[in-house]
Amino acid sequence: VAMGVRAALVVGVAVPVTLSLTLLSTYLMGYTLNRVTLFALIFSIGILVDDAIVVVENVHRHLHLPGRRRSFARTVVEAVDEVGNPTILATFTVIAAILPMAFVRGLMGPYMRPIPTGASLAMIFSLLIAFVISPWAALRVFRKEAHLPERDPSGLHPADPMREAAEPEREETAPAETWLTRTYRRQMSLLLRSPKARWGFFALIVLLFFGSMALLGLGAVRVKMLPFDNKSELQIMLDLPAGAAREEAVAVAQRMARSLLAEPEVRDVQVYAGVASPFTFLGMVRHAFFREAAEQADVQVNLVPKGERKAQSHAFAVRVRPALQKIAQAAGGRVQVWEIPPGPPVLATLVAEVYGPSEKERERIAQAALEAFRTTDGVVDVDSTLTAAAPKLTLRVDREKAALHGVQPAAVVQTLFAAGAGMPLGSFHADRGSTQVPVLLQLPVNDRTRSDTLLALTVPGARGPVPLSELVRAEEGREHRALFHKNLKPVSYVFGDLAGTVESPVYALSALDKKLAPLRSERGEVIPHYGLSHPPDSERAALKWDGEWHITLEVFRDLGLAFAAVLILIYVLVVGWFQSFAVPLVILLPIPLSLIGILPAHALAGSFFTATSMIGFIAGAGIIVRNSIILVDFIELKLREGMPLALAVEEAGVVRFRPMLLTASAVLVGSAVMLADPIFQGLAISMMAGEVAATLLSRIAVPVLYFLLARRGRAATLQREGARQAEEIFPPAPEPELQAMRNVS
């Protein structure tokens, strides 16, 4: 619309055509329409119109250039040809920036892969559409606006050297420049003339860059794998002391349920005690299907729909956790509030895996880690595998006494089994109904939980009934604690979650590392802390950080490698096009400049810098490089036409700023939809803020840097090359012959 309604229509044609082809390729690759693939399409909208914008804007500019005019069709062809090669190069730089993200490994790989693959295909389709459909649409739509002849009035071939002489001249005045353009020209003239102004400008950029990076160190921008999502359910996990009765767990869980039902965000709850809750995604992730002990209870909480509540599910969980902990602590138990993970499943946000040569060594280190978890700010729902086992009463039959009384040991066992677990005696038919009613022999609940009542029972002996207390010896003890192994190594776990003040594992683990650094093994050795790798064996004590932190390290490592590959690929592409090893450095400079906008924008929005934020930064790098390529290519185009270096640099910033600004606007509009989504908000912020910052800064920085580079000889070389090419295409004709040809024409 900034160029007019007709231009908007031409650019708008590219969107449905490209999306249709992208959807077809998505279907052929086997992807489904889900949250990730749909946001991949939304992400693509912001960048797939770039090619069409550049082409249509240049056609629009050529139609309004003052001076001599060619035919309408020829003007469109020449306008597309002028930006054709840099647009192809810029498109492949965007693909080179996005595609390496498809090779992220681990659990996040399949989760993220639709974004780079879908966007890369969309860019290829958009390039084809920009060179095929957009020029055709421009010929149809701009016909009335052009006011140019359909064919060359000379009737000569476009390559004929006499075409220029035969073509009629139409002089038009150049459009008046805006105050922004005049201001830009004044500032650029100052920067090109004054070394002090240039170094002051570069010093300001460096200061802004390091100031933005300092936001990470100061904690104003926090790093997290994925932000908290807004789900419609929670699970409350209650653990009473081992050996507690199921009825007691039911009573405490019901008190929690009544407390939750008083909250306006809660729709309904369901309590499960002594039996595992239904198999859900969260239950699969955190192994809730193992929770079948009598002292364990699960409370499934269903929230009202998202549109009917103001608080997100994470904020609700943080608010109700203190009240639930108070109820659990009054009964001597522990409570955990489980939220559905926003991305790949993890056992817990913070997981410490303790390895060691002996169980005693592992328990000692795990106990130290447990205390560190409990005393670290922001760490909640602390638990471990060190919990005490349930009490156990073993009744052993004295075979000698049983033989003296003439009692078979099996009779003792059967009697105790019938009293506790129950023994079926048969069934009878009810007066009404076809189902048989089982008859079960069993003591009442209050009697079968007491050992003195059980031992008061009698069994028939040789000289009459014999009480079980005469035949059975009671031994008190505890159940064996569960044994855990990972990768065939014995391990002990310590779990924790984050809520409140510190909700990023980066800072919590930094504090935990400092607290556990003085810890030594039994041999006096330093206990190594592992991040991505695992301990090679269990012969030495070791600590491995797992959970969300492991996936965070894995994802950011792969994204960092992908970004390094992006820079190398873009550098190689630009070197191949510009035939220079120095020019690509000028083009790649604006990439870090985008952080000047990205990090402060995350701080102002109060958002985490997440894996999706990193994706936005990398994808934005491709868009930023394409703008730099368009600037540098236009400068070199003007240099080949014989324009002085300073004027060519200044003219590039003036002429190419409109397509750069329109591209940035398209990215802003296309990404704004994702701001409302908690997961992809970081992607939108990085794309929007990074594009704005880089567009504004690169408009000045790239031309100035190119000026410093080209004045050492590249500009003169390009001007001589342009003059030589012009002589090869249009060789000078002798003056008499030229005059005769003009007379004939």
mmCIF file of all heavy atoms in Angstrom, residues 684-729:
data_model
loop_
_atom_site.group_PDB
_atom_site.id
_atom_site.type_symbol
_atom_site.label_atom_id
_atom_site.label_comp_id
_atom_site.label_asym_id
_atom_site.label_seq_id
_atom_site.Cartn_x
_atom_site.Cartn_y
_atom_site.Cartn_z
ATOM 1 N N ALA A 684 8.900 -14.284 17.447
ATOM 2 C CA ALA A 684 8.333 -13.046 16.913
ATOM 3 C C ALA A 684 9.136 -11.829 17.367
ATOM 4 O O ALA A 684 9.426 -10.925 16.571
ATOM 5 C CB ALA A 684 6.874 -12.915 17.345
ATOM 6 N N ILE A 685 9.512 -11.795 18.651
ATOM 7 C CA ILE A 685 10.274 -10.647 19.157
ATOM 8 C C ILE A 685 11.620 -10.541 18.452
ATOM 9 O O ILE A 685 12.057 -9.445 18.063
ATOM 10 C CB ILE A 685 10.452 -10.769 20.680
ATOM 11 C CG1 ILE A 685 9.098 -10.613 21.388
ATOM 12 C CG2 ILE A 685 11.424 -9.716 21.200
ATOM 13 C CD1 ILE A 685 9.165 -10.834 22.881
ATOM 14 N N SER A 686 12.304 -11.669 18.273
ATOM 15 C CA SER A 686 13.606 -11.638 17.601
ATOM 16 C C SER A 686 13.473 -11.175 16.155
ATOM 17 O O SER A 686 14.279 -10.363 15.671
ATOM 18 C CB SER A 686 14.252 -13.024 17.653
ATOM 19 O OG SER A 686 14.605 -13.376 18.961
ATOM 20 N N MET A 687 12.468 -11.692 15.458
ATOM 21 C CA MET A 687 12.292 -11.299 14.062
ATOM 22 C C MET A 687 11.960 -9.814 13.948
ATOM 23 O O MET A 687 12.542 -9.088 13.129
ATOM 24 C CB MET A 687 11.182 -12.137 13.432
ATOM 25 C CG MET A 687 11.503 -13.610 13.269
ATOM 26 S SD MET A 687 12.593 -13.937 11.886
ATOM 27 C CE MET A 687 11.500 -13.575 10.518
ATOM 28 N N MET A 688 11.050 -9.339 14.787
ATOM 29 C CA MET A 688 10.572 -7.961 14.667
ATOM 30 C C MET A 688 11.629 -6.956 15.130
ATOM 31 O O MET A 688 12.019 -6.049 14.392
ATOM 32 C CB MET A 688 9.283 -7.804 15.470
ATOM 33 C CG MET A 688 8.131 -8.663 14.961
ATOM 34 S SD MET A 688 6.706 -8.694 16.076
ATOM 35 C CE MET A 688 6.098 -7.014 15.856
ATOM 36 N N ALA A 689 12.102 -7.125 16.364
ATOM 37 C CA ALA A 689 13.067 -6.163 16.905
ATOM 38 C C ALA A 689 14.397 -6.231 16.169
ATOM 39 O O ALA A 689 15.029 -5.201 15.899
ATOM 40 C CB ALA A 689 13.268 -6.425 18.397
ATOM 41 N N GLY A 690 14.852 -7.439 15.837
ATOM 42 C CA GLY A 690 16.109 -7.566 15.113
ATOM 43 C C GLY A 690 16.049 -6.948 13.735
ATOM 44 O O GLY A 690 17.004 -6.301 13.283
ATOM 45 N N GLU A 691 14.922 -7.119 13.053
ATOM 46 C CA GLU A 691 14.788 -6.562 11.711
ATOM 47 C C GLU A 691 14.763 -5.033 11.752
ATOM 48 O O GLU A 691 15.392 -4.364 10.928
ATOM 49 C CB GLU A 691 13.507 -7.093 11.057
ATOM 50 C CG GLU A 691 13.269 -6.611 9.647
ATOM 51 C CD GLU A 691 14.260 -7.189 8.662
ATOM 52 O OE1 GLU A 691 14.918 -8.183 8.983
ATOM 53 O OE2 GLU A 691 14.390 -6.618 7.561
ATOM 54 N N VAL A 692 14.045 -4.474 12.729
ATOM 55 C CA VAL A 692 13.977 -3.013 12.838
ATOM 56 C C VAL A 692 15.360 -2.433 13.137
ATOM 57 O O VAL A 692 15.818 -1.483 12.479
ATOM 58 C CB VAL A 692 12.972 -2.606 13.929
ATOM 59 C CG1 VAL A 692 13.063 -1.117 14.209
ATOM 60 C CG2 VAL A 692 11.553 -2.960 13.494
ATOM 61 N N ALA A 693 16.044 -2.995 14.136
ATOM 62 C CA ALA A 693 17.354 -2.464 14.515
ATOM 63 C C ALA A 693 18.350 -2.596 13.374
ATOM 64 O O ALA A 693 19.088 -1.649 13.049
ATOM 65 C CB ALA A 693 17.866 -3.195 15.757
ATOM 66 N N ALA A 694 18.397 -3.766 12.746
ATOM 67 C CA ALA A 694 19.373 -3.977 11.682
ATOM 68 C C ALA A 694 19.066 -3.134 10.447
ATOM 69 O O ALA A 694 19.982 -2.641 9.781
ATOM 70 C CB ALA A 694 19.411 -5.452 11.311
ATOM 71 N N THR A 695 17.784 -2.934 10.130
ATOM 72 C CA THR A 695 17.431 -2.128 8.965
ATOM 73 C C THR A 695 17.872 -0.684 9.154
ATOM 74 O O THR A 695 18.456 -0.067 8.254
ATOM 75 C CB THR A 695 15.917 -2.198 8.714
ATOM 76 O OG1 THR A 695 15.546 -3.554 8.440
ATOM 77 C CG2 THR A 695 15.532 -1.334 7.527
ATOM 78 N N LEU A 696 17.597 -0.134 10.327
ATOM 79 C CA LEU A 696 17.950 1.262 10.574
ATOM 80 C C LEU A 696 19.461 1.461 10.660
ATOM 81 O O LEU A 696 20.003 2.431 10.127
ATOM 82 C CB LEU A 696 17.281 1.749 11.860
ATOM 83 C CG LEU A 696 15.744 1.756 11.846
ATOM 84 C CD1 LEU A 696 15.204 2.223 13.180
ATOM 85 C CD2 LEU A 696 15.218 2.651 10.719
ATOM 86 N N LEU A 697 20.163 0.529 11.331
ATOM 87 C CA LEU A 697 21.605 0.694 11.502
ATOM 88 C C LEU A 697 22.383 0.318 10.249
ATOM 89 O O LEU A 697 23.372 0.965 9.908
ATOM 90 C CB LEU A 697 22.081 -0.141 12.693
ATOM 91 C CG LEU A 697 21.579 0.312 14.065
ATOM 92 C CD1 LEU A 697 22.022 -0.659 15.148
ATOM 93 C CD2 LEU A 697 22.081 1.710 14.388
ATOM 94 N N SER A 698 21.937 -0.746 9.555
ATOM 95 C CA SER A 698 22.689 -1.176 8.374
ATOM 96 C C SER A 698 22.554 -0.184 7.232
ATOM 97 O O SER A 698 23.433 -0.116 6.363
ATOM 98 C CB SER A 698 22.217 -2.558 7.920
ATOM 99 O OG SER A 698 20.856 -2.520 7.514
ATOM 100 N N ARG A 699 21.508 0.616 7.206
ATOM 101 C CA ARG A 699 21.357 1.616 6.153
ATOM 102 C C ARG A 699 22.511 2.620 6.188
ATOM 103 O O ARG A 699 22.885 3.186 5.160
ATOM 104 C CB ARG A 699 20.018 2.341 6.314
ATOM 105 C CG ARG A 699 19.711 3.288 5.147
ATOM 106 C CD ARG A 699 18.568 4.207 5.460
ATOM 107 N NE ARG A 699 18.209 5.033 4.315
ATOM 108 C CZ ARG A 699 17.403 6.082 4.386
ATOM 109 N NH1 ARG A 699 16.862 6.424 5.552
ATOM 110 N NH2 ARG A 699 17.122 6.784 3.319
ATOM 111 N N ILE A 700 23.064 2.828 7.371
ATOM 112 C CA ILE A 700 24.197 3.746 7.511
ATOM 113 C C ILE A 700 25.512 2.980 7.562
ATOM 114 O O ILE A 700 26.490 3.346 6.898
ATOM 115 C CB ILE A 700 24.026 4.608 8.780
ATOM 116 C CG1 ILE A 700 22.720 5.397 8.708
ATOM 117 C CG2 ILE A 700 25.209 5.544 8.955
ATOM 118 C CD1 ILE A 700 22.415 6.180 9.959
ATOM 119 N N ALA A 701 25.544 1.884 8.357
ATOM 120 C CA ALA A 701 26.809 1.195 8.597
ATOM 121 C C ALA A 701 27.344 0.524 7.334
ATOM 122 O O ALA A 701 28.541 0.623 7.033
ATOM 123 C CB ALA A 701 26.639 0.166 9.709
ATOM 124 N N VAL A 702 26.486 -0.161 6.581
ATOM 125 C CA VAL A 702 26.957 -0.894 5.404
ATOM 126 C C VAL A 702 27.505 0.050 4.332
ATOM 127 O O VAL A 702 28.619 -0.168 3.813
ATOM 128 C CB VAL A 702 25.834 -1.795 4.849
ATOM 129 C CG1 VAL A 702 26.239 -2.407 3.513
ATOM 130 C CG2 VAL A 702 25.515 -2.903 5.840
ATOM 131 N N PRO A 703 26.792 1.128 3.941
ATOM 132 C CA PRO A 703 27.398 2.035 2.949
ATOM 133 C C PRO A 703 28.707 2.672 3.415
ATOM 134 O O PRO A 703 29.646 2.813 2.621
ATOM 135 C CB PRO A 703 26.304 3.089 2.739
ATOM 136 C CG PRO A 703 25.038 2.401 3.091
ATOM 137 C CD PRO A 703 25.394 1.490 4.214
ATOM 138 N N VAL A 704 28.782 3.050 4.697
ATOM 139 C CA VAL A 704 30.013 3.677 5.190
ATOM 140 C C VAL A 704 31.171 2.683 5.164
ATOM 141 O O VAL A 704 32.292 3.014 4.745
ATOM 142 C CB VAL A 704 29.791 4.237 6.611
ATOM 143 C CG1 VAL A 704 31.104 4.706 7.210
ATOM 144 C CG2 VAL A 704 28.805 5.392 6.575
ATOM 145 N N LEU A 705 30.922 1.453 5.619
ATOM 146 C CA LEU A 705 31.975 0.446 5.591
ATOM 147 C C LEU A 705 32.401 0.125 4.161
ATOM 148 O O LEU A 705 33.594 -0.068 3.880
ATOM 149 C CB LEU A 705 31.502 -0.824 6.297
ATOM 150 C CG LEU A 705 31.458 -0.771 7.822
ATOM 151 C CD1 LEU A 705 30.792 -2.015 8.376
ATOM 152 C CD2 LEU A 705 32.859 -0.631 8.390
ATOM 153 N N TYR A 706 31.425 0.052 3.257
ATOM 154 C CA TYR A 706 31.788 -0.205 1.863
ATOM 155 C C TYR A 706 32.594 0.952 1.296
ATOM 156 O O TYR A 706 33.530 0.745 0.506
ATOM 157 C CB TYR A 706 30.543 -0.445 1.018
ATOM 158 C CG TYR A 706 30.873 -0.867 -0.392
ATOM 159 C CD1 TYR A 706 31.130 -2.191 -0.696
ATOM 160 C CD2 TYR A 706 30.973 0.073 -1.413
ATOM 161 C CE1 TYR A 706 31.466 -2.581 -1.989
ATOM 162 C CE2 TYR A 706 31.311 -0.300 -2.707
ATOM 163 C CZ TYR A 706 31.558 -1.630 -2.983
ATOM 164 O OH TYR A 706 31.908 -2.004 -4.245
ATOM 165 N N PHE A 707 32.271 2.171 1.686
ATOM 166 C CA PHE A 707 33.034 3.337 1.237
ATOM 167 C C PHE A 707 34.487 3.230 1.684
ATOM 168 O O PHE A 707 35.416 3.487 0.905
ATOM 169 C CB PHE A 707 32.387 4.604 1.791
ATOM 170 C CG PHE A 707 33.180 5.855 1.541
ATOM 171 C CD1 PHE A 707 33.122 6.501 0.316
ATOM 172 C CD2 PHE A 707 33.991 6.389 2.536
ATOM 173 C CE1 PHE A 707 33.861 7.651 0.086
ATOM 174 C CE2 PHE A 707 34.729 7.538 2.312
ATOM 175 C CZ PHE A 707 34.666 8.177 1.079
ATOM 176 N N LEU A 708 34.698 2.834 2.949
ATOM 177 C CA LEU A 708 36.068 2.693 3.453
ATOM 178 C C LEU A 708 36.818 1.588 2.723
ATOM 179 O O LEU A 708 38.032 1.686 2.510
ATOM 180 C CB LEU A 708 36.039 2.399 4.958
ATOM 181 C CG LEU A 708 35.471 3.507 5.855
ATOM 182 C CD1 LEU A 708 35.416 3.033 7.308
ATOM 183 C CD2 LEU A 708 36.316 4.769 5.736
ATOM 184 N N LEU A 709 36.094 0.531 2.347
ATOM 185 C CA LEU A 709 36.735 -0.583 1.649
ATOM 186 C C LEU A 709 37.009 -0.255 0.185
ATOM 187 O O LEU A 709 38.107 -0.498 -0.335
ATOM 188 C CB LEU A 709 35.844 -1.827 1.758
ATOM 189 C CG LEU A 709 36.256 -3.046 0.931
ATOM 190 C CD1 LEU A 709 37.550 -3.638 1.468
ATOM 191 C CD2 LEU A 709 35.150 -4.089 0.932
ATOM 192 N N ALA A 710 35.996 0.320 -0.501
ATOM 193 C CA ALA A 710 36.099 0.490 -1.954
ATOM 194 C C ALA A 710 37.004 1.636 -2.359
ATOM 195 O O ALA A 710 37.526 1.646 -3.487
ATOM 196 C CB ALA A 710 34.702 0.704 -2.550
ATOM 197 N N ARG A 711 37.236 2.609 -1.494
ATOM 198 C CA ARG A 711 38.062 3.742 -1.891
ATOM 199 C C ARG A 711 39.538 3.360 -2.034
ATOM 200 O O ARG A 711 40.333 4.154 -2.535
ATOM 201 C CB ARG A 711 37.918 4.874 -0.880
ATOM 202 C CG ARG A 711 38.507 4.588 0.482
ATOM 203 C CD ARG A 711 38.346 5.783 1.395
ATOM 204 N NE ARG A 711 38.946 5.534 2.703
ATOM 205 C CZ ARG A 711 38.997 6.463 3.673
ATOM 206 N NH1 ARG A 711 38.481 7.655 3.454
ATOM 207 N NH2 ARG A 711 39.555 6.184 4.827
ATOM 208 N N ARG A 712 39.882 2.152 -1.592
ATOM 209 C CA ARG A 712 41.261 1.692 -1.715
ATOM 210 C C ARG A 712 41.567 1.065 -3.067
ATOM 211 O O ARG A 712 42.629 0.493 -3.257
ATOM 212 C CB ARG A 712 41.569 0.692 -0.605
ATOM 213 C CG ARG A 712 41.422 1.272 0.786
ATOM 214 C CD ARG A 712 41.803 0.262 1.838
ATOM 215 N NE ARG A 712 41.682 0.831 3.184
ATOM 216 C CZ ARG A 712 41.973 0.168 4.303
ATOM 217 N NH1 ARG A 712 42.409 -1.090 4.220
ATOM 218 N NH2 ARG A 712 41.842 0.748 5.468
ATOM 219 N N GLY A 713 40.624 1.125 -3.977
ATOM 220 C CA GLY A 713 40.902 0.622 -5.312
ATOM 221 C C GLY A 713 39.762 -0.128 -5.948
ATOM 222 O O GLY A 713 39.690 -0.215 -7.180
ATOM 223 N N ARG A 714 38.851 -0.685 -5.158
ATOM 224 C CA ARG A 714 37.766 -1.462 -5.747
ATOM 225 C C ARG A 714 36.834 -0.575 -6.566
ATOM 226 O O ARG A 714 36.347 -0.997 -7.625
ATOM 227 C CB ARG A 714 36.980 -2.195 -4.661
ATOM 228 C CG ARG A 714 35.874 -3.078 -5.220
ATOM 229 C CD ARG A 714 35.211 -3.923 -4.160
ATOM 230 N NE ARG A 714 34.129 -4.707 -4.690
ATOM 231 C CZ ARG A 714 34.261 -5.882 -5.317
ATOM 232 N NH1 ARG A 714 35.472 -6.395 -5.480
ATOM 233 N NH2 ARG A 714 33.219 -6.533 -5.784
ATOM 234 N N ALA A 715 36.585 0.635 -6.114
ATOM 235 C CA ALA A 715 35.680 1.520 -6.847
ATOM 236 C C ALA A 715 36.238 1.845 -8.226
ATOM 237 O O ALA A 715 35.520 1.791 -9.236
ATOM 238 C CB ALA A 715 35.446 2.799 -6.035
ATOM 239 N N ALA A 716 37.528 2.186 -8.283
ATOM 240 C CA ALA A 716 38.127 2.500 -9.585
ATOM 241 C C ALA A 716 38.107 1.289 -10.508
ATOM 242 O O ALA A 716 37.859 1.417 -11.717
ATOM 243 C CB ALA A 716 39.560 2.994 -9.374
ATOM 244 N N THR A 717 38.346 0.119 -9.944
ATOM 245 C CA THR A 717 38.319 -1.100 -10.762
ATOM 246 C C THR A 717 36.940 -1.332 -11.350
ATOM 247 O O THR A 717 36.794 -1.678 -12.537
ATOM 248 C CB THR A 717 38.743 -2.303 -9.907
ATOM 249 O OG1 THR A 717 40.048 -2.065 -9.372
ATOM 250 C CG2 THR A 717 38.746 -3.572 -10.726
ATOM 251 N N LEU A 718 35.890 -1.152 -10.538
ATOM 252 C CA LEU A 718 34.524 -1.347 -11.033
ATOM 253 C C LEU A 718 34.159 -0.303 -12.080
ATOM 254 O O LEU A 718 33.458 -0.609 -13.063
ATOM 255 C CB LEU A 718 33.542 -1.284 -9.857
ATOM 256 C CG LEU A 718 33.616 -2.444 -8.866
ATOM 257 C CD1 LEU A 718 32.730 -2.172 -7.661
ATOM 258 C CD2 LEU A 718 33.185 -3.743 -9.525
ATOM 259 N N GLN A 719 34.611 0.932 -11.918
ATOM 260 C CA GLN A 719 34.312 1.967 -12.903
ATOM 261 C C GLN A 719 34.986 1.665 -14.235
ATOM 262 O O GLN A 719 34.387 1.835 -15.300
ATOM 263 C CB GLN A 719 34.751 3.325 -12.357
ATOM 264 C CG GLN A 719 33.870 3.836 -11.225
ATOM 265 C CD GLN A 719 34.449 5.045 -10.535
ATOM 266 O OE1 GLN A 719 35.628 5.353 -10.691
ATOM 267 N NE2 GLN A 719 33.627 5.738 -9.753
ATOM 268 N N ARG A 720 36.242 1.202 -14.199
ATOM 269 C CA ARG A 720 36.919 0.825 -15.457
ATOM 270 C C ARG A 720 36.235 -0.379 -16.100
ATOM 271 O O ARG A 720 36.071 -0.433 -17.325
ATOM 272 C CB ARG A 720 38.387 0.503 -15.167
ATOM 273 C CG ARG A 720 39.234 1.726 -14.830
ATOM 274 C CD ARG A 720 40.719 1.376 -14.887
ATOM 275 N NE ARG A 720 41.055 0.335 -13.941
ATOM 276 C CZ ARG A 720 41.461 0.571 -12.691
ATOM 277 N NH1 ARG A 720 41.555 1.816 -12.242
ATOM 278 N NH2 ARG A 720 41.785 -0.431 -11.890
ATOM 279 N N GLU A 721 35.804 -1.327 -15.278
ATOM 280 C CA GLU A 721 35.116 -2.508 -15.806
ATOM 281 C C GLU A 721 33.804 -2.117 -16.467
ATOM 282 O O GLU A 721 33.453 -2.626 -17.543
ATOM 283 C CB GLU A 721 34.865 -3.490 -14.669
ATOM 284 C CG GLU A 721 34.135 -4.762 -15.085
ATOM 285 C CD GLU A 721 33.821 -5.655 -13.899
ATOM 286 O OE1 GLU A 721 34.515 -5.536 -12.854
ATOM 287 O OE2 GLU A 721 32.889 -6.471 -14.018
ATOM 288 N N GLY A 722 33.068 -1.191 -15.846
ATOM 289 C CA GLY A 722 31.807 -0.738 -16.434
ATOM 290 C C GLY A 722 32.014 -0.022 -17.750
ATOM 291 O O GLY A 722 31.253 -0.208 -18.717
ATOM 292 N N ALA A 723 33.059 0.805 -17.834
ATOM 293 C CA ALA A 723 33.340 1.510 -19.088
ATOM 294 C C ALA A 723 33.726 0.534 -20.192
ATOM 295 O O ALA A 723 33.311 0.684 -21.353
ATOM 296 C CB ALA A 723 34.460 2.523 -18.854
ATOM 297 N N ARG A 724 34.503 -0.487 -19.856
ATOM 298 C CA ARG A 724 34.917 -1.474 -20.858
ATOM 299 C C ARG A 724 33.715 -2.269 -21.364
ATOM 300 O O ARG A 724 33.587 -2.523 -22.568
ATOM 301 C CB ARG A 724 35.956 -2.405 -20.245
ATOM 302 C CG ARG A 724 36.538 -3.396 -21.260
ATOM 303 C CD ARG A 724 37.654 -4.242 -20.665
ATOM 304 N NE ARG A 724 37.179 -5.068 -19.567
ATOM 305 C CZ ARG A 724 37.425 -4.835 -18.288
ATOM 306 N NH1 ARG A 724 38.140 -3.773 -17.937
ATOM 307 N NH2 ARG A 724 36.958 -5.632 -17.345
ATOM 308 N N GLN A 725 32.807 -2.652 -20.442
ATOM 309 C CA GLN A 725 31.617 -3.393 -20.873
ATOM 310 C C GLN A 725 30.727 -2.535 -21.764
ATOM 311 O O GLN A 725 30.136 -3.028 -22.730
ATOM 312 C CB GLN A 725 30.854 -3.875 -19.645
ATOM 313 C CG GLN A 725 31.567 -4.964 -18.861
ATOM 314 C CD GLN A 725 30.812 -5.346 -17.603
ATOM 315 O OE1 GLN A 725 29.820 -4.711 -17.245
ATOM 316 N NE2 GLN A 725 31.282 -6.394 -16.927
ATOM 317 N N ALA A 726 30.618 -1.248 -21.449
ATOM 318 C CA ALA A 726 29.787 -0.363 -22.274
ATOM 319 C C ALA A 726 30.356 -0.240 -23.681
ATOM 320 O O ALA A 726 29.615 -0.209 -24.673
ATOM 321 C CB ALA A 726 29.691 1.010 -21.617
ATOM 322 N N GLU A 727 31.682 -0.175 -23.792
ATOM 323 C CA GLU A 727 32.297 -0.091 -25.119
ATOM 324 C C GLU A 727 32.109 -1.375 -25.911
ATOM 325 O O GLU A 727 31.949 -1.350 -27.130
ATOM 326 C CB GLU A 727 33.787 0.220 -24.976
ATOM 327 C CG GLU A 727 34.066 1.630 -24.488
ATOM 328 C CD GLU A 727 35.559 1.900 -24.379
ATOM 329 O OE1 GLU A 727 36.334 0.964 -24.671
ATOM 330 O OE2 GLU A 727 35.924 3.026 -23.998
ATOM 331 N N GLU A 728 32.102 -2.526 -25.210
ATOM 332 C CA GLU A 728 31.904 -3.793 -25.913
ATOM 333 C C GLU A 728 30.489 -3.917 -26.441
ATOM 334 O O GLU A 728 30.253 -4.466 -27.517
ATOM 335 C CB GLU A 728 32.220 -4.951 -24.973
ATOM 336 C CG GLU A 728 33.698 -5.057 -24.613
ATOM 337 C CD GLU A 728 33.952 -6.148 -23.598
ATOM 338 O OE1 GLU A 728 32.956 -6.749 -23.132
ATOM 339 O OE2 GLU A 728 35.128 -6.412 -23.267
ATOM 340 N N ILE A 729 29.507 -3.399 -25.671
ATOM 341 C CA ILE A 729 28.107 -3.513 -26.101
ATOM 342 C C ILE A 729 27.769 -2.451 -27.140
ATOM 343 O O ILE A 729 27.127 -2.714 -28.160
ATOM 344 C CB ILE A 729 27.178 -3.401 -24.884
ATOM 345 C CG1 ILE A 729 27.457 -4.556 -23.911
ATOM 346 C CG2 ILE A 729 25.726 -3.403 -25.314
ATOM 347 C CD1 ILE A 729 26.651 -4.455 -22.625
#
